Amino acid sequence: MRSTPSRRRFLQDVAAGLSAAALPQLALAQSATQPPTRRAAKPNPHFVNEPAAIEVKARPLPSFDTRDRARVRFGQLEYRSGLVLTSAFSGFGGLSALRLDAKGERFIAVSDQGSWFTGRIVYQGRAMTGLDDVEAAPLLWSDGKPITARGWYDSESLALDGSFAYVGLERVNQVLRYDFSKGFTRARGEVVPTPPAVRKLPFNQGLEALVVVPKNLPLAGTLIALSERGLDADGNLIAFLVGGKTPGQFSVRRTENFDISDAVLLPSGDLLILERKFSWFGGVGIRIRRLALSEIAPGAVVDGPAIFNADLGDEIDNMEGIDAHVTAEGDTVLTMISDDNFSLIQRNLLLQFTLVG
């Protein structure tokens, strides 16, 4: 990562700054990532309500540590590959959440400017080489108009449950549900009922991560919603259990001034939370912590060890999204994506690591 002073300062400034009835029966696969058979979207550089086929260019990142290019092990993660993504499409950027299919190929991402991005990751062996079949489309409200027409931006989090996609809106602290069986990204959103405390989360530091718990795991049928920096009376991060058999509120212990930016649930039942922090003395930091799903319950304060740490000496940016898939060889692969804030001095990064610990 090129750590020029202006870019470093910008990154530092950025970092500073559901009832049970609402959840459908859980499906066995994240089928929302698979688009229906239909005519391909046409190029449309100024899309309003229709999908636009766009080109995304990718430049490889052969190493992650800019100080030691041969290093591949970072805590319990091993670097696989990375890409710097760019596009002439003016709406490309602000990528805040990412979900993959079981093979780690097809993806759905959301931009904090109220857009869907869908497509396919191209691999050569185990390394990512680019994106293909990429389309952009606005998130729609129930009236068929973009949610941004209502002043709803900061679509920061995404969870999939079969054909259903849940999107968290940080600015208004709402959760929207989309049934992708009804038009894929043309589906219209509806509000998911959430506890009143969700609406009281701080402006621009509210819902930042969503995870749906599948069958055969503790809390099955529950939507876990975590705030970026909503703090309880003890200074810990506020989170919610929406729906399921034990809805309620819990907390994630906040340490070293890290805030939550996304989360993913592993098949083992561990919840990984992606975190970031800023300080004038320490700069920007990225961390992944492992939490035990079995310890999460209403009223609980949960904590867990850090399995990954990175700073501006590594190829990071404003990392906001994380997901996981298991390869045919049995490797658990973590994929992270960054939000460039539509800034010329930030980057859209797509990074992959193998979980080895």
Side-chain angles (χ1 to χ4, degrees):
M1 173 179 186
R2 297 184 303 275
S3 55
T4 60
S6 60
R7 184 164 173 271
R8 182 184 295 272
R9 284 195 299 270
F10 188 88
L11 284 173
Q12 292 172 337
D13 290 342
V14 168
L18 307 175
S19 67
L23 296 178
Q25 184 176 0
L26 291 170
L28 296 178
Q30 293 187 351
S31 59
T33 55
Q34 184 61 43
T37 301
R38 53 180 170 77
R39 291 186 300 173
K42 297 179 179 180
N44 180 4
H46 304 292
F47 79 94
V48 178
N49 287 1
E50 294 300 319
I54 68 172
E55 181 183 6
V56 177
K57 296 181 179 180
R59 176 172 63 83
L61 289 172
S63 59
F64 181 66
D65 188 339
T66 64
R67 299 152 295 195
D68 182 357
R69 298 292 183 181
R71 182 185 174 199
V72 296
R73 182 67 180 263
F74 303 87
Q76 295 180 22
L77 273 58
E78 183 180 282
Y79 185 62
R80 294 172 71 94
S81 66
L83 301 172
V84 182
L85 306 176
T86 57
S87 177
F89 178 67
S90 61
F92 183 75
L95 303 173
S96 297
L98 174 80
R99 296 301 179 203
L100 305 172
D101 68 4
K103 295 182 179 180
E105 295 176 355
R106 296 214 64 90
F107 68 85
I108 298 176
V110 292
S111 163
D112 56 18
Q113 294 297 305
S115 299
W116 300 109
F117 289 96
T118 63
R120 179 171 57 88
I121 301 175
V122 180
Y123 293 87
Q124 183 173 353
R126 58 182 260 161
M128 298 182 295
T129 59
L131 301 184
D132 201 1
D133 303 325
V134 182
E135 289 186 4
L139 277 75
L140 300 181
W141 178 234
S142 57
D143 61 3
K145 297 179 181 178
I147 63 170
T148 53
R150 299 174 59 87
W152 287 6
Y153 293 87
D154 289 335
S155 34
E156 296 280 351
S157 49
L158 174 65
L160 301 185
D161 174 26
S163 67
F164 290 89
Y166 294 87
V167 177
L169 305 181
E170 185 186 39
R171 186 171 300 189
V172 293
N173 289 316
Q174 297 266 27
V175 176
L176 301 182
R177 183 180 67 179
Y178 292 86
D179 185 352
F180 270 30
S181 69
K182 299 178 179 179
F184 198 50
T185 55
R186 302 293 76 231
R188 300 182 180 189
E190 60 181 359
V191 171
V192 174
T194 54
V198 171
R199 300 297 299 275
K200 297 179 181 180
L201 291 170
F203 176 79
N204 207 33
Q205 295 176 344
L207 295 179
E208 191 77 15
L210 295 176
V211 173
V212 174
V213 183
K215 295 178 180 178
N216 303 319
L217 286 177
L219 302 175
T222 302
L223 178 66
I224 301 177
L226 303 106
S227 71
E228 177 182 5
R229 200 194 299 174
L231 303 180
D232 65 16
D234 296 317
N236 295 315
L237 299 158
I238 296 173
F240 301 90
L241 302 172
V242 182
K245 295 181 179 179
T246 57
Q249 183 174 319
F250 70 100
S251 296
V252 177
R253 192 172 303 282
R254 186 173 189 245
T255 62
E256 300 181 35
N257 295 319
F258 275 98
D259 300 323
I260 294 174
S261 56
D262 202 7
V264 61
L265 186 60
L266 300 180
S268 64
D270 287 332
L271 182 69
L272 301 184
I273 54 173
L274 176 64
E275 300 178 303
R276 61 191 168 188
K277 72 172 181 178
F278 160 80
S279 76
W280 291 112
F281 298 103
V284 175
I286 302 297
R287 181 174 76 175
I288 296 175
R289 265 195 297 168
R290 187 195 298 260
L291 307 179
L293 186 65
S294 59
E295 296 180 1
I296 297 176
V301 179
V302 296
D303 196 359
I307 65 170
F308 171 81
N309 284 276
D311 58 30
L312 286 176
D314 302 308
E315 295 282 11
I316 64 170
D317 208 282
N318 181 31
M319 311 308 298
E320 288 214 356
I322 187 171
D323 201 20
H325 73 278
V326 179
T327 69
E329 297 74 28
D331 292 336
T332 297
V333 176
L334 302 183
T335 303
M336 286 183 272
I337 198 165
S338 70
D339 173 359
D340 71 341
N341 291 295
F342 294 94
S343 166
L344 294 176
I345 54 175
Q346 289 185 263
R347 301 177 297 174
N348 296 299
L349 300 181
L350 190 66
L351 307 174
Q352 285 193 338
F353 296 83
T354 303
L355 180 61
V356 294

